[in-house]
């Protein structure tokens, strides 16, 4: 599978063919599509949008099966690409010879550390000078975990050995190191405590203040790592982070083990954020830049 979507596939193509094979897309057929989308956790808002758009088209014309499917794919792709019309840049590639800082956020267990390791690996493969800041100082295990991923990806990790270290202090040290080394991409692991939104906000804004002060020319991105298997529940988490951090995109993880890949559409529709990468496995290579085309092909097949 091109996007490694595993169970996320809707099998919609065959079902659609069966539905529209009997004639033009009628009301019953649209209801069946609606049910399939909801089943895949596309969510009510995005599903409504898709179905309404589909119905509008079918009001004035009937579409043969192939065209109906192509049109549905286009609706889904357009939905996923919508954030690019609203100021989010479509090419999510760190600029060479610039200082890029990517803040990685997300609740514990979402796959944040793993994603940082995969991103570092991707950066190394593309000849970026990359560095990791272990600023999730809340959990001792998190620092160890990120160090393991640093070794795997051949990337240095800046961490503070002391207990109860201030995450902003780690970021400060990491920027010092990054500046000395001409680092192009600094990946910052942050704590994923969702229990207390105020703490989360304060911690993230403190980190940003340090960055603004110490690296005013850096290109800052803030990525939310989201576990796709949580479906609509993950979306509620995402809303909290969207409030706490100025997010520039989402990494959707565990799509390999999920039948809820449709949540990508819900995320984009409800939060207006673009999906940047998808995680489809626990290995270092199992991260891909997001492509709406490939995603929709995999989702419907
Ligand atoms: P963190 O607490 O957010 O840093 O999460 P971790 O990176 O430690 O990941 C939590 C668990 O999810 C680990 O067992 C990872 O191997 C697993 N994991 C992370 N990303 C993926 C993915 O894309 N697919 C699968 N199947 N497992 C993943």
């Amino acid at each position: 599978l091109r996007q490694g979507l595993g169970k996320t596939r809707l099998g919609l193509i065959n079902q659609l063919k069966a539905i529209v094979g009997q004639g033009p897309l009628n009301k019953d057929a649209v209801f069946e599509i609606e049910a399939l989308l909801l089943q895949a956790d596309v969510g009510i808002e995005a599903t409504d949008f898709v179905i309404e758009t589909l119905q509008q088209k079918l009001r004035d014309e009937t579409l043969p099966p192939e065209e109906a499917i192509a049109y549905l794919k286009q609706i889904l792709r357009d939905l996923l690409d919508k954030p690019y019309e609203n100021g989010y840049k479509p090419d999510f590639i760190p600029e060479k010879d610039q200082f890029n800082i990517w803040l990685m956020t997300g609740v514990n267990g979402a796959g944040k550390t793993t994603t940082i390791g995969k991103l570092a690996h991707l950066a190394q493969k593309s000849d970026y000078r990359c560095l990791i800041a272990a600023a999730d100082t809340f959990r001792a295990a998190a620092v160890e975990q990120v160090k393991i991923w640093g070794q795997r990806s051949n990337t240095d990790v800046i961490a503070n050995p002391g207990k109860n270290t201030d995450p902003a202090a780690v970021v400060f040290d990491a920027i010092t190191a990054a500046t000395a080394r001409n680092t192009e991409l600094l990946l910052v692991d942050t704590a994923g405590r969702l229990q207390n939104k105020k703490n989360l906000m304060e911690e993230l804004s403190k980190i940003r203040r340090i960055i603004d002060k110490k690296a005013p020319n850096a290109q800052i991105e803030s990525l939310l790592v989201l576990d796709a298997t949580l479906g609509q529940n993950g979306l509620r988490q995402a809303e909290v982070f969207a409030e706490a951090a100025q997010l520039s995109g989402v990494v959707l993880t565990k799509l390999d083990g999920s039948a809820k890949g449709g949540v990508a559409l819900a995320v984009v529709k409800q939060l207006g954020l673009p999906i940047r990468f998808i995680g489809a496995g626990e290995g270092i290579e199992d991260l891909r830049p997001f492509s709406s085309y490939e995603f929709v092909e995999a989702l419907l097949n």
Side-chain angles (χ1 to χ4, degrees):
L1 268 177
R2 273 152 300 193
Q3 290 251 337
L5 285 185
K7 291 182 221 149
T8 280
R9 297 174 302 145
L10 296 183
L12 198 57
I13 293 292
N14 282 336
Q15 298 188 53
L16 259 181
K17 277 183 185 154
I19 294 168
V20 295
Q22 301 145 7
L25 261 187
N26 58 22
K27 233 184 197 166
D28 287 347
V30 170
F31 279 136
E32 284 184 56
I33 297 169
E34 187 173 19
L36 286 171
L37 293 174
L38 289 172
Q39 240 170 31
D41 248 316
V42 171
I44 290 171
E45 211 176 297
T47 298
D48 280 354
F49 172 80
V50 172
I51 294 301
E52 273 165 30
T53 313
L54 203 56
Q55 273 169 336
Q56 254 166 34
K57 177 87 171 176
L58 295 169
R59 199 164 292 152
D60 319 313
E61 54 184 318
T62 54
L63 296 180
E66 299 302 331
E67 277 179 43
I69 291 165
Y71 187 63
L72 178 63
K73 284 181 178 176
Q74 194 197 319
I75 297 172
L76 298 177
R77 281 198 305 270
D78 287 351
L79 200 162
L80 290 167
D81 290 338
K82 187 83 186 162
Y84 307 138
E85 291 169 24
N86 300 330
Y88 292 95
K89 54 180 185 183
D91 292 322
F92 203 69
I93 297 165
E95 230 175 295
K96 275 251 157 218
D97 298 314
Q98 301 271 330
F99 189 15
N100 299 272
I101 302 177
W102 288 10
L103 285 174
M104 306 299 294
T105 61
V107 294
N108 298 335
K112 192 153 39 80
T113 315
T114 308
T115 300
I116 287 171
K118 291 170 176 175
L119 281 173
H121 176 66
L122 209 57
Q124 298 290 5
K125 277 207 303 194
S126 312
D127 283 327
Y128 283 92
R129 291 183 296 275
C130 183
L131 198 61
I132 298 172
D136 180 358
T137 55
F138 192 69
R139 292 182 300 166
V143 176
E144 290 315 307
Q145 197 72 33
V146 108
K147 280 182 180 167
I148 292 170
W149 276 106
Q151 276 166 5
R152 278 185 196 149
S153 61
N154 219 355
T155 307
D156 284 344
V157 176
I158 305 297
N160 200 314
K163 274 202 177 119
N164 301 321
T165 323
D166 184 354
V170 176
V171 174
F172 186 95
D173 287 352
I175 294 176
T176 307
T179 309
R181 299 173 189 201
N182 248 333
T183 294
E184 292 162 304
L185 179 62
L186 173 64
L187 297 165
V188 181
D189 191 17
T190 63
R193 284 168 296 155
L194 192 60
Q195 294 82 352
N196 189 329
K197 190 162 88 183
K198 193 162 157 274
N199 278 357
L200 185 76
M201 281 178 157
E202 277 170 6
E203 192 165 309
L204 290 172
S205 59
K206 196 169 171 194
I207 288 175
R208 280 202 93 120
R209 275 204 302 279
I210 293 286
I211 292 174
D212 288 341
K213 210 164 163 191
K214 227 179 132 49
N217 296 323
Q219 174 68 40
I220 304 160
E221 306 290 353
S222 186
L223 287 174
L224 173 67
V225 179
L226 201 63
D227 179 343
T229 62
L230 297 181
Q232 296 296 305
N233 290 328
L235 210 73
R236 277 188 280 282
Q237 291 178 3
E239 277 163 4
V240 177
F241 278 97
E243 269 182 61
Q246 301 146 264
L247 296 176
S248 45
V250 172
V251 181
L252 209 52
T253 62
K254 309 189 195 181
L255 275 169
D256 51 314
S258 170
K260 298 178 183 301
V263 77
L265 291 145
V267 167
V268 175
K269 180 76 182 132
Q270 270 163 261
L271 301 177
L273 292 167
I275 311 290
R276 297 307 196 176
F277 294 92
I278 62 169
E282 300 188 74
I284 202 161
E285 298 273 354
D286 298 328
L287 186 82
R288 296 169 182 76
F290 180 75
S291 143
S292 61
Y293 177 81
E294 288 180 13
F295 187 85
V296 168
E297 290 299 313
L299 188 68
L300 292 196
N301 260 315

